[in-house]
PDB file of all heavy atoms in Angstrom:
ATOM      1  N   LEU A 164     197.187 -16.709-103.322  1.00  0.00           N
ATOM      2  CA  LEU A 164     196.357 -15.514-103.324  1.00  0.00           C
ATOM      3  C   LEU A 164     195.627 -15.362-101.991  1.00  0.00           C
ATOM      4  O   LEU A 164     195.547 -14.272-101.434  1.00  0.00           O
ATOM      5  CB  LEU A 164     195.346 -15.581-104.480  1.00  0.00           C
ATOM      6  CG  LEU A 164     195.943 -15.467-105.885  1.00  0.00           C
ATOM      7  CD1 LEU A 164     194.855 -15.711-106.930  1.00  0.00           C
ATOM      8  CD2 LEU A 164     196.587 -14.105-106.081  1.00  0.00           C
ATOM      9  N   ARG A 165     195.105 -16.469-101.477  1.00  0.00           N
ATOM     10  CA  ARG A 165     194.394 -16.424-100.198  1.00  0.00           C
ATOM     11  C   ARG A 165     195.344 -16.058 -99.066  1.00  0.00           C
ATOM     12  O   ARG A 165     195.025 -15.240 -98.198  1.00  0.00           O
ATOM     13  CB  ARG A 165     193.749 -17.792 -99.925  1.00  0.00           C
ATOM     14  CG  ARG A 165     192.934 -17.848 -98.631  1.00  0.00           C
ATOM     15  CD  ARG A 165     192.548 -19.289 -98.337  1.00  0.00           C
ATOM     16  NE  ARG A 165     193.742 -20.090 -98.116  1.00  0.00           N
ATOM     17  CZ  ARG A 165     193.770 -21.420 -98.217  1.00  0.00           C
ATOM     18  NH1 ARG A 165     192.688 -22.075 -98.576  1.00  0.00           N
ATOM     19  NH2 ARG A 165     194.885 -22.074 -97.986  1.00  0.00           N
ATOM     20  N   ASP A 166     196.561 -16.633 -99.082  1.00  0.00           N
ATOM     21  CA  ASP A 166     197.530 -16.364 -98.025  1.00  0.00           C
ATOM     22  C   ASP A 166     198.036 -14.932 -98.094  1.00  0.00           C
ATOM     23  O   ASP A 166     198.360 -14.330 -97.074  1.00  0.00           O
ATOM     24  CB  ASP A 166     198.703 -17.335 -98.116  1.00  0.00           C
ATOM     25  CG  ASP A 166     198.287 -18.767 -97.798  1.00  0.00           C
ATOM     26  OD1 ASP A 166     197.185 -18.932 -97.239  1.00  0.00           O
ATOM     27  OD2 ASP A 166     199.053 -19.689 -98.108  1.00  0.00           O
ATOM     28  N   ALA A 167     198.117 -14.369 -99.314  1.00  0.00           N
ATOM     29  CA  ALA A 167     198.542 -12.978 -99.446  1.00  0.00           C
ATOM     30  C   ALA A 167     197.536 -12.059 -98.761  1.00  0.00           C
ATOM     31  O   ALA A 167     197.904 -11.088 -98.088  1.00  0.00           O
ATOM     32  CB  ALA A 167     198.690 -12.604-100.917  1.00  0.00           C
ATOM     33  N   GLU A 168     196.260 -12.383 -98.908  1.00  0.00           N
ATOM     34  CA  GLU A 168     195.222 -11.593 -98.246  1.00  0.00           C
ATOM     35  C   GLU A 168     195.367 -11.691 -96.728  1.00  0.00           C
ATOM     36  O   GLU A 168     195.272 -10.688 -96.016  1.00  0.00           O
ATOM     37  CB  GLU A 168     193.842 -12.107 -98.679  1.00  0.00           C
ATOM     38  CG  GLU A 168     192.691 -11.328 -98.048  1.00  0.00           C
ATOM     39  CD  GLU A 168     191.336 -11.911 -98.435  1.00  0.00           C
ATOM     40  OE1 GLU A 168     191.303 -12.800 -99.296  1.00  0.00           O
ATOM     41  OE2 GLU A 168     190.330 -11.478 -97.856  1.00  0.00           O
ATOM     42  N   ALA A 169     195.646 -12.899 -96.240  1.00  0.00           N
ATOM     43  CA  ALA A 169     195.835 -13.081 -94.797  1.00  0.00           C
ATOM     44  C   ALA A 169     197.075 -12.337 -94.318  1.00  0.00           C
ATOM     45  O   ALA A 169     197.082 -11.738 -93.237  1.00  0.00           O
ATOM     46  CB  ALA A 169     195.940 -14.569 -94.460  1.00  0.00           C
ATOM     47  N   LEU A 170     198.137 -12.358 -95.125  1.00  0.00           N
ATOM     48  CA  LEU A 170     199.372 -11.669 -94.753  1.00  0.00           C
ATOM     49  C   LEU A 170     199.136 -10.172 -94.612  1.00  0.00           C
ATOM     50  O   LEU A 170     199.618  -9.536 -93.671  1.00  0.00           O
ATOM     51  CB  LEU A 170     200.456 -11.939 -95.788  1.00  0.00           C
ATOM     52  CG  LEU A 170     201.791 -11.207 -95.575  1.00  0.00           C
ATOM     53  CD1 LEU A 170     202.409 -11.610 -94.243  1.00  0.00           C
ATOM     54  CD2 LEU A 170     202.745 -11.506 -96.726  1.00  0.00           C
ATOM     55  N   HIS A 171     198.371  -9.601 -95.541  1.00  0.00           N
ATOM     56  CA  HIS A 171     198.074  -8.169 -95.452  1.00  0.00           C
ATOM     57  C   HIS A 171     197.286  -7.867 -94.182  1.00  0.00           C
ATOM     58  O   HIS A 171     197.506  -6.842 -93.535  1.00  0.00           O
ATOM     59  CB  HIS A 171     197.297  -7.710 -96.680  1.00  0.00           C
ATOM     60  CG  HIS A 171     198.126  -7.662 -97.936  1.00  0.00           C
ATOM     61  ND1 HIS A 171     199.340  -7.000 -97.994  1.00  0.00           N
ATOM     62  CD2 HIS A 171     197.947  -8.200 -99.168  1.00  0.00           C
ATOM     63  CE1 HIS A 171     199.845  -7.123 -99.210  1.00  0.00           C
ATOM     64  NE2 HIS A 171     199.030  -7.858 -99.936  1.00  0.00           N
ATOM     65  N   ALA A 172     196.392  -8.772 -93.805  1.00  0.00           N
ATOM     66  CA  ALA A 172     195.614  -8.569 -92.575  1.00  0.00           C
ATOM     67  C   ALA A 172     196.530  -8.610 -91.357  1.00  0.00           C
ATOM     68  O   ALA A 172     196.392  -7.812 -90.429  1.00  0.00           O
ATOM     69  CB  ALA A 172     194.517  -9.632 -92.461  1.00  0.00           C
ATOM     70  N   VAL A 173     197.499  -9.552 -91.359  1.00  0.00           N
ATOM     71  CA  VAL A 173     198.451  -9.639 -90.250  1.00  0.00           C
ATOM     72  C   VAL A 173     199.291  -8.377 -90.179  1.00  0.00           C
ATOM     73  O   VAL A 173     199.544  -7.821 -89.108  1.00  0.00           O
ATOM     74  CB  VAL A 173     199.356 -10.880 -90.398  1.00  0.00           C
ATOM     75  CG1 VAL A 173     200.486 -10.857 -89.377  1.00  0.00           C
ATOM     76  CG2 VAL A 173     198.533 -12.149 -90.232  1.00  0.00           C
ATOM     77  N   ARG A 174     199.738  -7.884 -91.342  1.00  0.00           N
ATOM     78  CA  ARG A 174     200.557  -6.673 -91.354  1.00  0.00           C
ATOM     79  C   ARG A 174     199.779  -5.472 -90.834  1.00  0.00           C
ATOM     80  O   ARG A 174     200.306  -4.656 -90.078  1.00  0.00           O
ATOM     81  CB  ARG A 174     201.063  -6.410 -92.768  1.00  0.00           C
ATOM     82  CG  ARG A 174     202.194  -7.337 -93.181  1.00  0.00           C
ATOM     83  CD  ARG A 174     202.636  -7.069 -94.597  1.00  0.00           C
ATOM     84  NE  ARG A 174     203.844  -7.826 -94.908  1.00  0.00           N
ATOM     85  CZ  ARG A 174     204.354  -7.944 -96.121  1.00  0.00           C
ATOM     86  NH1 ARG A 174     203.759  -7.345 -97.144  1.00  0.00           N
ATOM     87  NH2 ARG A 174     205.455  -8.637 -96.324  1.00  0.00           N
ATOM     88  N   ARG A 175     198.503  -5.369 -91.237  1.00  0.00           N
ATOM     89  CA  ARG A 175     197.694  -4.257 -90.739  1.00  0.00           C
ATOM     90  C   ARG A 175     197.550  -4.352 -89.229  1.00  0.00           C
ATOM     91  O   ARG A 175     197.611  -3.350 -88.517  1.00  0.00           O
ATOM     92  CB  ARG A 175     196.313  -4.275 -91.414  1.00  0.00           C
ATOM     93  CG  ARG A 175     196.325  -3.821 -92.865  1.00  0.00           C
ATOM     94  CD  ARG A 175     194.927  -3.522 -93.361  1.00  0.00           C
ATOM     95  NE  ARG A 175     194.068  -4.697 -93.310  1.00  0.00           N
ATOM     96  CZ  ARG A 175     193.952  -5.571 -94.302  1.00  0.00           C
ATOM     97  NH1 ARG A 175     194.637  -5.397 -95.427  1.00  0.00           N
ATOM     98  NH2 ARG A 175     193.153  -6.621 -94.195  1.00  0.00           N
ATOM     99  N   LEU A 176     197.370  -5.587 -88.729  1.00  0.00           N
ATOM    100  CA  LEU A 176     197.237  -5.794 -87.287  1.00  0.00           C
ATOM    101  C   LEU A 176     198.516  -5.391 -86.570  1.00  0.00           C
ATOM    102  O   LEU A 176     198.485  -4.722 -85.535  1.00  0.00           O
ATOM    103  CB  LEU A 176     196.913  -7.270 -87.006  1.00  0.00           C
ATOM    104  CG  LEU A 176     196.814  -7.696 -85.541  1.00  0.00           C
ATOM    105  CD1 LEU A 176     195.655  -6.976 -84.871  1.00  0.00           C
ATOM    106  CD2 LEU A 176     196.622  -9.202 -85.450  1.00  0.00           C
ATOM    107  N   CYS A 177     199.673  -5.762 -87.128  1.00  0.00           N
ATOM    108  CA  CYS A 177     200.952  -5.446 -86.493  1.00  0.00           C
ATOM    109  C   CYS A 177     201.199  -3.945 -86.452  1.00  0.00           C
ATOM    110  O   CYS A 177     201.780  -3.430 -85.502  1.00  0.00           O
ATOM    111  CB  CYS A 177     202.096  -6.152 -87.217  1.00  0.00           C
ATOM    112  SG  CYS A 177     202.111  -7.946 -86.987  1.00  0.00           S
ATOM    113  N   ARG A 178     200.758  -3.239 -87.504  1.00  0.00           N
ATOM    114  CA  ARG A 178     200.982  -1.793 -87.532  1.00  0.00           C
ATOM    115  C   ARG A 178     200.236  -1.097 -86.402  1.00  0.00           C
ATOM    116  O   ARG A 178     200.627  -0.021 -85.955  1.00  0.00           O
ATOM    117  CB  ARG A 178     200.521  -1.226 -88.870  1.00  0.00           C
ATOM    118  CG  ARG A 178     201.436  -1.560 -90.034  1.00  0.00           C
ATOM    119  CD  ARG A 178     201.102  -0.719 -91.248  1.00  0.00           C
ATOM    120  NE  ARG A 178     201.831  -1.167 -92.411  1.00  0.00           N
ATOM    121  CZ  ARG A 178     201.306  -1.906 -93.382  1.00  0.00           C
ATOM    122  NH1 ARG A 178     200.035  -2.264 -93.317  1.00  0.00           N
ATOM    123  NH2 ARG A 178     202.040  -2.284 -94.412  1.00  0.00           N
ATOM    124  N   GLN A 179     199.152  -1.698 -85.944  1.00  0.00           N
ATOM    125  CA  GLN A 179     198.341  -1.070 -84.912  1.00  0.00           C
ATOM    126  C   GLN A 179     198.864  -1.380 -83.512  1.00  0.00           C
ATOM    127  O   GLN A 179     198.370  -0.839 -82.535  1.00  0.00           O
ATOM    128  CB  GLN A 179     196.891  -1.549 -85.028  1.00  0.00           C
ATOM    129  CG  GLN A 179     196.255  -1.150 -86.344  1.00  0.00           C
ATOM    130  CD  GLN A 179     194.918  -1.842 -86.551  1.00  0.00           C
ATOM    131  OE1 GLN A 179     194.405  -2.488 -85.653  1.00  0.00           O
ATOM    132  NE2 GLN A 179     194.343  -1.683 -87.735  1.00  0.00           N
ATOM    133  N   MET A 180     199.855  -2.262 -83.419  1.00  0.00           N
ATOM    134  CA  MET A 180     200.359  -2.673 -82.106  1.00  0.00           C
ATOM    135  C   MET A 180     201.443  -1.709 -81.650  1.00  0.00           C
ATOM    136  O   MET A 180     202.319  -1.335 -82.415  1.00  0.00           O
ATOM    137  CB  MET A 180     200.931  -4.093 -82.176  1.00  0.00           C
ATOM    138  CG  MET A 180     199.894  -5.123 -82.532  1.00  0.00           C
ATOM    139  SD  MET A 180     200.664  -6.729 -82.808  1.00  0.00           S
ATOM    140  CE  MET A 180     199.234  -7.655 -83.335  1.00  0.00           C
ATOM    141  N   PRO A 181     201.395  -1.312 -80.371  1.00  0.00           N
ATOM    142  CA  PRO A 181     202.463  -0.436 -79.875  1.00  0.00           C
ATOM    143  C   PRO A 181     203.773  -1.197 -79.781  1.00  0.00           C
ATOM    144  O   PRO A 181     203.855  -2.270 -79.201  1.00  0.00           O
ATOM    145  CB  PRO A 181     201.957  -0.050 -78.472  1.00  0.00           C
ATOM    146  CG  PRO A 181     201.049  -1.161 -78.087  1.00  0.00           C
ATOM    147  CD  PRO A 181     200.402  -1.636 -79.365  1.00  0.00           C
ATOM    148  N   ARG A 182     204.798  -0.660 -80.436  1.00  0.00           N
ATOM    149  CA  ARG A 182     206.116  -1.278 -80.383  1.00  0.00           C
ATOM    150  C   ARG A 182     207.155  -0.194 -80.169  1.00  0.00           C
ATOM    151  O   ARG A 182     206.952   0.952 -80.533  1.00  0.00           O
ATOM    152  CB  ARG A 182     206.426  -2.034 -81.682  1.00  0.00           C
ATOM    153  CG  ARG A 182     205.529  -3.238 -81.910  1.00  0.00           C
ATOM    154  CD  ARG A 182     205.957  -3.969 -83.154  1.00  0.00           C
ATOM    155  NE  ARG A 182     205.768  -3.133 -84.335  1.00  0.00           N
ATOM    156  CZ  ARG A 182     206.229  -3.459 -85.546  1.00  0.00           C
ATOM    157  NH1 ARG A 182     206.931  -4.540 -85.702  1.00  0.00           N
ATOM    158  NH2 ARG A 182     206.011  -2.680 -86.584  1.00  0.00           N
TER     159      ARG A 182
END
Side-chain angles (χ1 to χ4, degrees):
L164 291 173
R165 182 190 63 200
D166 293 345
E168 181 183 352
L170 176 61
H171 288 308
V173 171
R174 284 178 172 170
R175 286 194 299 271
L176 177 64
C177 290
R178 287 193 188 102
Q179 297 170 8
M180 297 173 185
R182 294 183 295 171

